[in-house]
Amino acid sequence: MSKPSKSVQLYNILKNQIITGKRLAGSKFPPEIELCEEFGISRQTVRQAIVRLKEEKLVETIKGSGTYVLERKNENPVSAMTIGVVATYVDDYIFPRLIGGIDDALTQRGYRMQLSITHNNVSMEKQQLLSLMNQRPAGILIEPAKSALIWSNREIFESIQNLKIPCVMMNGKIPGLSVPMVSINDKESGRKAAQYLLACGHRRIGACMKEDDWAGQMRYLGYREVLNEYGADNVDGNTVWYHTEDIESMFGKAADPYILKQFEGCTAIVCFNDLIAMKLYQLFERNGISIPEDISIIGHDDFQLGELVKPKLTTIHHPIEAVGRKAAECLLQIVQGDEKPEDCLLNGEVIVRDSVKYQKEDTDS
């Protein structure tokens, strides 16, 4: 495939700057000579690019004054009542509850949802956000990809703000950006899990957490705070960290020796979520370790299958549907011109089942 001409390359660069809000409506383009020097091209090339922008009604040239960015008119009137929703997974067990809450709140107000899925991939997230920016929906709800890692798409979120498209985040936040967040109170959930295990007599408590997820970091922080406050036995070696891409390899049979070594001496484990708890169920069964007789497990999220496994999984129930509903309500509050809402954290609760054993404390004989 042949390389685009220099005028087409410049046209694409300038168009992207307009769409992403780097060049705002009403702003003046630099003189031709400055664009020539910046991009190392001729005046004729600059003029050809400007002509294409004019044809798309992105800019106008005023004789004797210069070239200006035009206010972009919404070509799709339906989008005035459309909310873009960007979620990480469509097959995750949390997804139906989250989307159900969003849909309920939007439908009650006469809005419709346009759904995009990123599969927790930052490159795909960028594509989805750029597409939404071009469509100009009434607002955007986003569950950020890789929410605990460096924000690769920070510039995109800044562009969304420049375009004045209302935005609310779910279960993740970008430091330094004034974008409201609605989330599970994951730090408090981690605390509750650790407190429950301590109340059951456990003192050496391990953790299995997702490192590239905001919730994983917060749940770990809450868990460690409680252990530190109590003075319970714990070292960093009793924590297993994993990333999104590692799940199959990390919890396959070949990794059993590593995980068993990490949890050596532990009587209980706090898991990032119920799916990971079930991975550990399989691992311990393969290695002749009984739950809860030999080791206790507590999960997060209250997945329905937790009631079907044996023993039934003790977990932290999270109001996922309420997160979706509240996030949509906060976004519509901004869309309608009301005061921007504060961050909102929703608390979970311990659901006691059969996977945690009461551990008698050692006594002197």
Side-chain angles (χ1 to χ4, degrees):
M1 183 180 293
S2 60
K3 187 177 181 180
S5 66
K6 289 184 178 180
S7 66
V8 171
Q9 292 180 53
L10 178 60
Y11 156 78
N12 287 331
I13 291 171
L14 297 177
K15 180 178 179 180
N16 185 65
Q17 291 175 347
I18 294 170
I19 289 175
T20 59
K22 290 183 179 179
R23 294 190 185 275
L24 299 176
S27 64
K28 184 179 179 180
F29 264 50
E32 286 182 1
I33 187 64
E34 289 187 20
L35 289 173
C36 291
E37 292 174 355
E38 180 180 353
F39 294 99
I41 53 180
S42 67
R43 283 198 171 193
Q44 182 62 27
T45 300
V46 171
R47 288 168 184 166
Q48 289 172 350
I50 297 296
V51 166
R52 292 195 63 175
L53 294 174
K54 287 181 184 178
E55 290 173 350
E56 294 193 20
K57 301 189 185 306
L58 293 173
V59 302
E60 67 173 346
T61 299
I62 300 175
K63 191 173 182 179
S65 178
T67 299
Y68 295 84
V69 178
L70 289 173
E71 182 75 38
R72 295 178 64 221
K73 295 182 179 180
N74 196 340
E75 297 177 358
N76 180 11
V78 176
S79 67
M81 297 300 290
T82 298
I83 299 296
V85 178
V86 182
T88 51
Y89 296 107
V90 69
D91 55 351
D92 189 275
Y93 62 93
I94 292 174
F95 175 83
R97 289 186 283 167
L98 181 70
I99 297 302
I102 294 171
D103 189 54
D104 284 348
L106 295 182
T107 301
Q108 289 175 10
R109 303 285 189 88
Y111 287 81
R112 72 180 185 90
M113 173 173 55
Q114 179 176 319
L115 181 63
S116 303
I117 305 298
T118 67
H119 302 286
N120 209 30
N121 180 288
V122 292
S123 296
M124 193 169 292
E125 177 184 79
K126 180 177 181 178
Q127 295 173 12
Q128 303 288 6
L129 290 174
L130 286 173
S131 176
L132 283 172
M133 288 167 62
N134 194 38
Q135 296 172 49
R136 300 290 187 94
I140 299 175
L141 286 171
I142 179 165
E143 184 184 28
K146 301 281 188 178
S147 54
L149 301 184
I150 295 173
W151 288 87
S152 302
N153 291 327
R154 183 186 182 92
E155 287 189 4
I156 304 297
F157 289 105
E158 290 173 343
S159 296
I160 290 173
Q161 287 191 308
N162 290 338
L163 292 171
K164 301 189 185 308
I165 300 176
C167 182
V168 169
M169 293 193 170
M170 300 175 290
N171 302 319
K173 190 172 181 66
I174 302 180
L177 287 187
S178 58
V179 177
M181 175 187 72
V182 178
S183 174
I184 296 299
N185 191 342
D186 288 298
K187 182 178 176 182
E188 183 61 24
S189 290
R191 290 184 60 87
K192 286 182 177 180
Q195 287 168 343
Y196 177 73
L197 293 175
L198 286 169
C200 290
H202 295 276
R203 297 296 176 264
R204 189 67 176 265
I205 302 170
C208 187
M209 293 291 172
K210 192 175 183 184
E211 192 167 12
D212 59 350
D213 192 294
W214 167 282
Q217 297 284 348
M218 291 297 102
R219 290 171 193 177
Y220 177 76
L221 182 59
Y223 144 86
R224 282 307 301 265
E225 275 189 359
V226 168
L227 295 189
N228 290 339
E229 291 166 4
Y230 192 87
D233 298 329
N234 180 271
V235 293
D236 287 334
N238 289 136
T239 301
V240 171
W241 291 100
Y242 71 94
H243 282 231
T244 301
E245 297 82 4
D246 299 338
I247 293 178
E248 294 307 317
S249 60
M250 177 64 78
F251 298 100
K253 188 174 181 179
D256 286 5
Y258 165 74
I259 294 179
L260 292 173
K261 179 67 175 177
Q262 295 299 101
F263 292 142
E264 188 174 9
C266 293
T267 62
I269 301 169
V270 176
C271 292
F272 168 67
N273 63 20
D274 292 352
L275 287 181
I276 294 304
M278 292 175 193
K279 294 283 187 184
L280 292 184
Y281 267 50
Q282 296 169 359
L283 181 151
F284 290 133
E285 183 178 7
R286 286 195 298 267
N287 291 276
I289 299 171
S290 298
I291 302 170
E293 289 78 13
D294 300 323
I295 194 160
S296 294
I297 292 181
I298 186 169
H300 281 84
D301 294 335
D302 194 15
F303 184 25
Q304 290 178 340
L305 288 182
E307 292 190 87
L308 302 179
V309 295
K310 292 184 179 180
K312 294 181 180 180
L313 179 64
T314 295
T315 187
I316 307 293
H317 173 79
H318 291 149
I320 303 297
E321 186 173 345
V323 169
R325 185 180 300 108
K326 183 65 176 178
E329 290 172 351
C330 288
L331 181 62
L332 294 181
Q333 182 177 330
I334 303 171
V335 169
Q336 293 164 6
D338 297 334
E339 185 177 346
K340 183 179 291 187
E342 300 290 331
D343 290 351
C344 178
L345 299 178
L346 303 180
N347 290 324
E349 60 178 336
V350 178
I351 303 297
V352 178
R353 297 193 182 112
D354 304 325
S355 63
V356 175
K357 171 187 175 183
Y358 180 78
Q359 187 82 2
K360 293 182 180 179
E361 295 191 46
D362 293 334
T363 57
D364 294 331
S365 55

